[in-house]
Amino acid sequence: MTLRLHNFFRSSTSTRLRAALNLKGLDYDYVPYVLRNGETRTPDYLAKNPQGLVPTLEKGDGTFLTQSLAIMEWLEETYPHPPLLPSEPDARARVRALSYMIALEIHPLNNLRVLARLHDQFGADDDAQKAWFTHWVTLTFDALEEELSRAKETGTCCHGDTPTMADCCLYAQVWNNRRFDIPLAGWPTISRIFGNLDGLPAFTRAAPPNQPDAA
Amino acid sequence: MTLRLHNFFRSSTSTRLRAALNLKGLDYDYVPYVLRNGETRTPDYLAKNPQGLVPTLEKGDGTFLTQSLAIMEWLEETYPHPPLLPSEPDARARVRALSYMIALEIHPLNNLRVLARLHDQFGADDDAQKAWFTHWVTLTFDALEEELSRAKETGTCCHGDTPTMADCCLYAQVWNNRRFDIPLAGWPTISRIFGNLDGLPAFTRAAPPNQPDAA
């Protein structure tokens, strides 16, 4: 079964899913879209993904899965080894909560269509967009740093020493922060974990600059 | 084991979790917080939930779970019957994707702290906040209506005729929409499903006006 990943190199949700696919050791065909050119708003793409968002995972049977977190859970259930979640329910809840801190409280507020809306509705210029982006990163990274630094479960990765779904989300968000040059220095635990992940091929192969459509 | 739910009657994430707890037939102690008074920003609450958000679920062993979707997955793993997710991976992916359309693409953009930020950074008045809120609901509800109306899997609920995690999210979001008087008429399938859910005690008991802290 050949998987096809419909995605965009700079998209944070695409990056986190590429890392998950790589951690699972799954090959996939890379199908790039240029978001700014409306390539995900065509009738053909909307038939795959009614939200017109990336990523979409096309399965070998020609059906489509949407929403990066739902796809990661599907990967976990369909290709259990190596796991992206620990086995015990409380530990799974911690990893999912860390993932959702990033995937729900940062990314949805800072993606391209939200920044465009701030411009269109409120006239937000580049500086105002950067202030908005930085505000939401800071609010949640402060809480994430607190949780990661105080919990005994934190290891070289967000949970223990094996990468999980939370590390996929964290790695992609740190890359996303670079769009606005947000330094990591104020979050030493996040910075340490990102450094560890960035030494692993599954993550570096998922990084935006290493994709075929990177500028 | 007694569960304690730290929450707020009008919070959409609290409403979805209350519905999930009710569907599972689980009793819980209700601990209310007034968000506008900063009651979730105290050191005591931040020790439970470093983000200072609701809901937080306190387990009988005195530990805490955060992020409503992570808590719902924990409930599913800890109390499997009745299930909040179907059994087959593709079906589970669909239910999670429907859930995340609401939980990631609407709610994070429209909660109180975001509307407050729009006011503080851009001077957004009530009308501008309503326009913002309505924009994100409409964008995703249009896509959700498209998916729900065209998929053969849709039944009296979002997926078949048994309530799932997606219905918990949808029910809570429709209640949330009422804060800004957004009519459902343009989304007949969503409206039909909401009507079905609103006939079930597990959902009506979770609705904001039926909570002890409702004004």
Side-chain angles (χ1 to χ4, degrees):
Chain A
M1 163 160 143
T2 304
L3 299 170
R4 304 186 79 201
L5 182 64
H6 301 265
N7 79 142
F8 175 57
F9 77 103
R10 195 182 279 130
S11 147
S12 172
T13 51
S14 298
T15 302
R16 71 167 79 122
L17 181 55
R18 291 193 298 262
L21 286 160
N22 293 344
L23 285 168
K24 290 286 187 190
L26 296 168
D27 288 330
Y28 54 88
D29 293 337
Y30 189 102
V31 188
Y33 293 77
V34 180
L35 302 191
R36 287 190 188 277
N37 293 356
E39 292 180 6
T40 60
R41 305 297 313 168
T42 65
D44 182 58
Y45 190 78
L46 289 171
K48 299 176 174 62
N49 182 323
Q51 290 189 281
L53 298 174
V54 286
T56 298
L57 187 68
E58 183 175 352
K59 300 187 299 166
D61 63 4
T63 61
F64 301 94
L65 299 175
T66 64
Q67 285 286 345
S68 64
L69 295 174
I71 300 171
M72 289 161 81
E73 296 275 0
W74 180 88
L75 289 174
E76 185 70 359
E77 294 172 353
T78 309
Y79 306 95
H81 301 289
L84 295 177
L85 287 169
S87 57
E88 193 274 322
D90 282 9
R92 294 165 73 85
R94 179 173 183 265
V95 169
R96 287 193 176 108
L98 294 172
S99 304
Y100 301 162
M101 285 175 75
I102 295 167
L104 276 82
E105 315 293 354
I106 302 177
H107 179 264
L109 289 154
N110 285 350
N111 65 21
L112 278 184
R113 68 181 188 178
V114 174
L115 300 179
R117 176 74 189 183
L118 289 175
H119 176 269
D120 295 347
Q121 187 174 349
F122 300 108
D125 60 12
D126 288 353
D127 285 348
Q129 290 179 33
K130 178 174 178 170
W132 171 274
F133 189 106
T134 304
H135 173 75
W136 299 112
V137 169
T138 302
L139 196 64
T140 295
F141 266 30
D142 283 352
L144 191 62
E145 177 69 26
E146 172 70 15
E147 165 61 26
L148 290 171
S149 65
R150 79 184 181 189
K152 64 183 187 315
E153 294 89 344
T154 306
T156 58
C157 299
C158 289
H159 193 89
D161 300 329
T162 305
T164 63
M165 183 185 292
D167 297 292
C168 297
C169 293
L170 182 140
Y171 186 76
Q173 185 60 51
V174 171
W175 270 103
N176 207 26
N177 291 356
R178 294 181 176 179
R179 282 168 52 202
F180 286 101
D181 298 320
I182 301 177
L184 269 187
W187 304 295
T189 312
I190 293 173
S191 181
R192 174 176 66 75
I193 293 171
F194 176 80
N196 295 336
L197 301 174
D198 208 37
L200 302 174
F203 287 89
T204 50
R205 283 199 293 123
N210 300 330
Q211 306 314 308
D213 54 336
Chain B
M1 163 160 141
T2 303
L3 299 169
R4 302 186 81 201
L5 182 64
H6 301 265
N7 78 142
F8 175 56
F9 77 101
R10 195 181 280 129
S11 147
S12 174
T13 51
S14 298
T15 302
R16 73 167 79 121
L17 181 55
R18 291 193 299 261
L21 287 161
N22 293 343
L23 286 168
K24 291 286 188 189
L26 295 168
D27 288 327
Y28 54 89
D29 293 336
Y30 188 102
V31 188
Y33 293 78
V34 181
L35 303 191
R36 286 191 188 277
N37 293 355
E39 293 180 4
T40 61
R41 306 297 312 168
T42 64
D44 182 58
Y45 190 78
L46 290 170
K48 299 176 173 64
N49 182 323
Q51 291 190 280
L53 298 174
V54 287
T56 298
L57 187 68
E58 183 175 351
K59 301 187 299 167
D61 62 2
T63 62
F64 301 95
L65 299 175
T66 64
Q67 285 286 344
S68 64
L69 294 174
I71 300 170
M72 289 161 82
E73 296 276 358
W74 180 88
L75 290 174
E76 185 71 359
E77 295 172 353
T78 308
Y79 306 96
H81 302 289
L84 295 178
L85 288 169
S87 57
E88 194 273 322
D90 282 9
R92 293 164 74 85
R94 178 173 183 266
V95 170
R96 287 194 176 107
L98 294 172
S99 304
Y100 301 161
M101 286 175 74
I102 295 167
L104 275 83
E105 315 295 353
I106 301 177
H107 179 264
L109 288 153
N110 285 350
N111 65 21
L112 279 184
R113 68 182 189 179
V114 174
L115 300 179
R117 177 74 188 182
L118 290 174
H119 175 271
D120 295 346
Q121 187 175 349
F122 300 109
D125 60 12
D126 288 352
D127 285 348
Q129 291 179 32
K130 177 173 179 169
W132 171 273
F133 189 107
T134 305
H135 174 76
W136 299 112
V137 169
T138 302
L139 195 64
T140 295
F141 266 30
D142 282 353
L144 191 62
E145 177 68 27
E146 171 71 15
E147 165 61 27
L148 290 171
S149 65
R150 79 184 181 189
K152 66 182 186 317
E153 294 90 343
T154 306
T156 57
C157 299
C158 288
H159 193 88
D161 300 329
T162 305
T164 63
M165 184 185 293
D167 297 291
C168 297
C169 292
L170 182 140
Y171 186 76
Q173 185 59 50
V174 171
W175 270 103
N176 207 26
N177 291 356
R178 294 182 177 179
R179 283 168 51 201
F180 285 101
D181 298 320
I182 300 178
L184 270 186
W187 305 295
T189 312
I190 293 173
S191 181
R192 174 177 66 76
I193 293 170
F194 176 79
N196 295 336
L197 301 175
D198 207 36
L200 302 175
F203 287 88
T204 50
R205 284 199 295 124
N210 300 330
Q211 306 313 307
D213 54 336

